[in-house]
Amino acid sequence: MPIVRRQLFRALGAGALLAGPGWALLPTARAAKAYAVNRTDAQWKAQLTPQQYQVLRQAGTERPFSSPLNHEKRAGTFACAGCQQPLFSSNTKFDSGTGWPSFWQALPDAVDKKSDRSWGMVRDETLCARCGGHLGHVFDDGPKPTGLRYCMNGLALAFTVGAAPGA
């Protein structure tokens, strides 16, 4: 017996009422945050390489151990490759052994966090606070003093040599 769309919506609505606060686990539309830097897809594609576009704008992931920034040891600042927002100080970079540039702390107000339930797991996605570009994920298995591991895609970052911002 086919389900009429109206019946389906009624059943979902009743289920949400009966479930109480847990109904929020159902997928819902979420208002997108307004970022200071907004570009059209065409503008992003013109500015970024295809690989950067795939990571920054489509939440892709580069192959592990493929980024030269994974081995970067000089003093400087790691910024968003999309909008040049400073994100991480070289003072907080460490070798996590995971194959991606890793940091134990972001610069103040540089990144946003968003729950990511893709690939059958729950993770915290890290986004550039200025343009919303996907940078990678943050985990709670990092070193002291924060215990965090910001596992970033090198394609999402641009490195500038110079005095490293304070950590």
Side-chain angles (χ1 to χ4, degrees):
M1 175 175 178
I3 296 177
V4 180
R5 193 166 61 167
R6 185 178 317 147
Q7 291 171 320
L8 178 63
F9 287 128
R10 281 186 191 148
L12 287 174
L17 288 174
L18 294 174
W23 72 272
L25 298 176
L26 295 173
T28 58
R30 188 173 8 162
K33 175 182 173 180
Y35 289 98
V37 173
N38 286 301
R39 296 186 176 105
T40 65
D41 271 348
Q43 290 170 322
W44 284 119
K45 285 180 181 178
Q47 175 190 334
L48 303 168
T49 68
Q51 296 84 4
Q52 286 175 316
Y53 179 82
Q54 200 265 333
V55 168
L56 280 164
R57 306 316 305 169
Q58 296 181 316
T61 301
E62 68 191 5
R63 285 181 303 111
F65 302 101
S66 64
S67 174
L69 294 180
N70 199 35
H71 305 291
E72 183 59 65
K73 305 242 187 274
R74 296 174 289 177
T77 304
F78 293 83
C80 175
C83 71
Q84 290 68 54
Q85 158 92 346
L87 301 169
F88 299 96
S89 168
S90 61
N91 293 333
T92 64
K93 188 174 185 292
F94 70 100
D95 184 2
S96 66
T98 61
W100 290 278
S102 297
F103 306 85
W104 50 263
Q105 182 176 332
L107 292 173
D109 303 316
V111 299
D112 286 338
K113 245 180 11 180
K114 177 176 106 173
S115 181
D116 176 3
R117 295 176 175 268
S118 64
W119 299 96
M121 62 183 106
V122 179
R123 305 177 287 175
D124 286 327
E125 180 182 8
T126 304
L127 306 166
C128 172
R130 188 166 176 240
C131 72
H134 170 79
L135 303 170
H137 293 85
V138 62
F139 303 95
D140 61 1
D141 60 1
K144 292 181 181 183
T146 65
L148 298 175
R149 173 175 52 97
Y150 286 89
C151 189
M152 302 294 99
N153 289 287
L155 286 166
L157 304 174
F159 179 70
T160 304
V161 176

